[in-house]
Amino acid sequence: PKAKAARTDEGGDGIRRIDVVGGSQVLVGCGLFGRVPDEIAAALAEDGFKASKYVIISDETVWGLYGAKLVAAFEAKDIHPLHFAVKPGEKSKDRRVKEAVEDFMLAQRCVRDTVVVALGGGVATGVSTLALPPRVLAPGRAYLARVNVTAVRTGLASSFATGVWVPVRPLRAAFAGSGSRLAGSAAPVVLDASPTADPDGLAAPVFAWAAANVTGGVASAEASFEPAAPGANKTASINLGVGSWAVRVTASDPARPGREASAVQLVTVVEGKLPAVAIEVLGAGAAAASSTSSAAAGSPLLRVVNEGSRVALRTPSPVAVDPSTGRVRTVPPDGDPNLAATLRWSARDLTADEPFNLLGSGVLTMEPPRVDLPSIAVRADALRPGAKYRFTLEARVPPAAAATGLYADGETSVDVEVNRAPFGGSLRVEPAEGVVLRTRFALSAAGWTDSQLPLTYVFGYEGAGAGAAAGEPRTLAFVALSDARREETLAVGSLPAGELRLRVRVTDSFAATAESEAVPVDVYATQAE
């Protein structure tokens, strides 16, 4: 064929066609074996050439792997090719083997209209893999990697180059301690974001702070505030009113606009000093949080726990209300057991607006269940995701305590909302198959719903570990590819060859996590079939 300018074309059949020097053409795609006879016939017809015979030349290893498949493709077109296999390795690349091939073709009466089909697939010897220690390549830069390949027997050499992009990893924002805390209104609340870090060590993050009142589960407008000490912006001190607050810290890279990360801490502020006696709510997504008597603090405090978490509620000691101050106190202060109060827990499903029976089957972890103790624990599967419950602790003082005029019956409540993990979404991957170092896969997570925003998305894949020996068990490992984005187009080479299963993990602001159904993706090696 006449020489053509180098070009790359990808037709509607998904086959990538690359014209190279001398008029030859390289085809890259999946399932090409069945197309070989037609592609050869089309190329011959372009020059008005008709073949009388076909001879497939290969080495013994490649022939054993792919020979029958290629012959079947020809026979499907009523063509019966000849074949000749040589020993594998560099030692077969000499004039003696060339003569053997020619003698075979002459013996089979091959003439000038015979088409020779080379079925290859070799491995370059030497160091074919280069592994660099961590941090040799700087984040945020592009590098050109060049590989030189030299033939052992002839000394002839070739080379190719590829680009390597080292991405900058996102900042990591975090608060010291848990995701929620309790404070009193008598003193400023000190917030600490010192665990925030730049994993690449490129910059000292700059911090911005904001707070929103979320009392009753309804968020008000968010307002920003400045740290108390200029320069020491990993910590902030702020006076917050009574109620529940969502405090957000945003860390940003001053040299790279858009590179930032946020973390949220829920702060519940009660009137006055932090009460010495309280109901504590323990569970995933909720640190120890206290609630004073409703007579002293108004509406019950709201705590959020993640679904599937066991919820423990406790009070350090029996409590009652001092009628002179309206505050919850321990009884008795002097240790007199005749003044001790008796306790009783109860609960209500606020979402369904009906009583919640703590003594019901499978609700409490204690067997038999009791509600007259200083602490109770609710089983992880007893509370409905997305529902809100009110737990109340009643303290009943004996007549001797009431006769003193210092103590009276009292109660305190706390509301617990069960945070449902993100739900209703899916993962879409396009295309469903491709080639390593050729195909860009587009990932999209859509339809995920949650009440605790923002959501964080982590895309990853499961697949057999590289280098697993034949017959050995293959361990599936989730390898993260990117995060904090709903859509992602992977760089070429991000996925290894193999039958992979891609997933997305979605996490809300309270660390409740859900995972999508696996999406199968076939990634083929660089050498096309």
Side-chain angles (χ1 to χ4, degrees):
K2 296 180 180 179
K4 295 176 286 187
R7 65 184 180 88
T8 299
D9 179 36
E10 186 166 348
D13 55 3
I15 303 300
R16 189 180 187 190
R17 302 169 183 272
I18 305 172
D19 291 329
V20 294
V21 177
S24 300
Q25 193 175 66
V26 177
L27 274 63
V28 181
C30 304
L32 288 177
F33 269 123
R35 302 175 60 103
V36 170
D38 291 337
E39 293 290 341
I40 293 177
L44 296 178
E46 186 176 340
D47 290 339
F49 187 89
K50 185 175 181 180
S52 63
K53 291 182 181 180
Y54 290 80
V55 181
I56 302 174
I57 309 295
S58 182
D59 71 28
E60 294 173 349
T61 299
V62 176
W63 179 258
L65 294 172
Y66 304 109
K69 193 172 183 179
L70 184 57
V71 169
F74 277 101
E75 290 181 342
K77 302 295 182 179
D78 200 23
I79 299 173
H80 303 281
L82 303 170
H83 75 272
F84 186 89
V86 302
K87 296 289 183 182
E90 293 294 323
K91 292 183 179 180
S92 294
K93 299 178 182 179
D94 57 18
R95 295 183 183 276
R96 176 182 55 82
V97 175
K98 174 178 175 289
E99 292 173 357
V101 174
E102 293 170 345
D103 290 344
F104 169 79
M105 294 179 64
L106 291 173
Q108 299 297 323
R109 300 181 182 275
C110 296
V111 291
R112 294 184 58 174
D113 59 357
T114 297
V115 173
V116 176
V117 180
L119 177 59
V123 178
T125 60
V127 180
S128 58
T129 301
L130 176 64
L132 298 176
R135 299 189 181 279
V136 170
L137 302 182
R141 294 186 179 181
Y143 296 84
L144 184 66
R146 183 178 299 277
V147 179
N148 296 314
V149 182
T150 303
V152 176
R153 296 180 63 84
T154 66
L156 297 177
S158 180
S159 66
F160 67 91
T162 184
V164 178
W165 165 250
V166 183
V168 176
R169 290 179 290 178
L171 298 176
R172 296 173 184 168
F175 281 95
S178 65
S180 59
R181 56 178 295 187
L182 182 72
S185 63
V189 179
V190 178
L191 303 157
D192 183 5
S194 57
T196 299
D198 180 355
D200 290 331
L202 297 176
V206 173
F207 294 81
W209 297 83
N213 192 315
V214 293
T215 303
V218 179
S220 66
E222 196 172 80
S224 61
F225 60 92
E226 294 296 326
N233 55 1
K234 279 191 175 183
T235 60
S237 179
I238 180 175
N239 291 307
L240 296 174
V242 174
S244 296
W245 296 82
V247 180
R248 180 189 302 276
V249 62
T250 300
S252 59
D253 184 343
R256 297 167 181 82
R259 185 175 181 240
E260 60 183 33
S262 297
V264 175
Q265 189 169 62
L266 182 65
V267 180
T268 300
V269 181
V270 297
E271 183 67 35
K273 296 181 179 180
L274 189 65
V277 177
I279 293 179
E280 295 178 333
V281 182
L282 306 176
S290 300
S291 170
T292 60
S293 165
S294 58
S299 301
L301 301 178
L302 173 65
R303 309 305 301 161
V304 179
V305 298
N306 288 331
E307 68 171 288
S309 302
R310 191 193 71 157
V311 178
L313 303 102
R314 68 184 182 187
T315 184
S317 61
V319 298
V321 177
D322 186 339
S324 63
T325 63
R327 293 187 178 277
V328 178
R329 297 185 55 182
T330 57
V331 180
D334 56 2
D336 186 349
N338 295 321
L339 302 182
T342 58
L343 305 176
R344 182 174 181 82
W345 294 91
S346 61
R348 186 173 184 82
D349 185 335
L350 298 179
T351 303
D353 193 21
E354 62 185 17
F356 181 66
N357 185 12
L358 294 176
L359 296 176
S361 177
V363 175
L364 298 182
T365 58
M366 175 180 290
E367 291 293 345
R370 293 181 58 180
V371 293
D372 58 349
L373 300 176
S375 63
I376 59 172
V378 182
R379 295 182 185 274
D381 57 352
L383 302 179
R384 294 182 294 108
K388 184 187 294 185
Y389 298 84
R390 176 166 296 170
F391 294 90
T392 300
L393 176 61
E394 299 176 70
R396 297 288 181 258
V397 297
T404 65
L406 298 176
Y407 309 110
D409 297 339
E411 67 178 43
T412 182
S413 298
V414 65
D415 290 349
V416 175
E417 181 178 337
V418 184
N419 177 39
R420 182 178 182 182
F423 64 96
S426 61
L427 171 65
R428 183 175 62 188
V429 182
E430 294 182 350
E433 61 179 17
V435 180
V436 174
L437 300 181
R438 290 291 187 188
T439 305
R440 292 180 179 271
F441 292 92
L443 283 63
S444 175
W448 292 94
T449 301
D450 195 283
S451 59
Q452 305 296 338
L453 301 177
L455 299 181
T456 300
Y457 301 84
V458 178
F459 298 97
Y461 67 86
E462 297 171 339
E472 290 185 357
R474 293 187 173 184
T475 302
L476 296 180
F478 191 92
V479 182
L481 299 175
S482 63
D483 62 2
R485 285 179 287 194
R486 184 175 299 173
E487 297 181 354
E488 177 76 4
T489 299
L490 304 182
V492 169
S494 297
L495 296 180
E499 296 179 356
L500 307 180
R501 294 182 296 173
L502 273 65
R503 298 179 186 270
V504 61
R505 288 178 177 171
V506 187
T507 304
D508 66 14
S509 61
F510 277 84
T513 299
E515 191 170 284
S516 70
E517 294 290 333
V519 177
V521 174
D522 293 329
V523 183
Y524 300 96
T526 322
Q527 176 66 42
E529 294 183 350

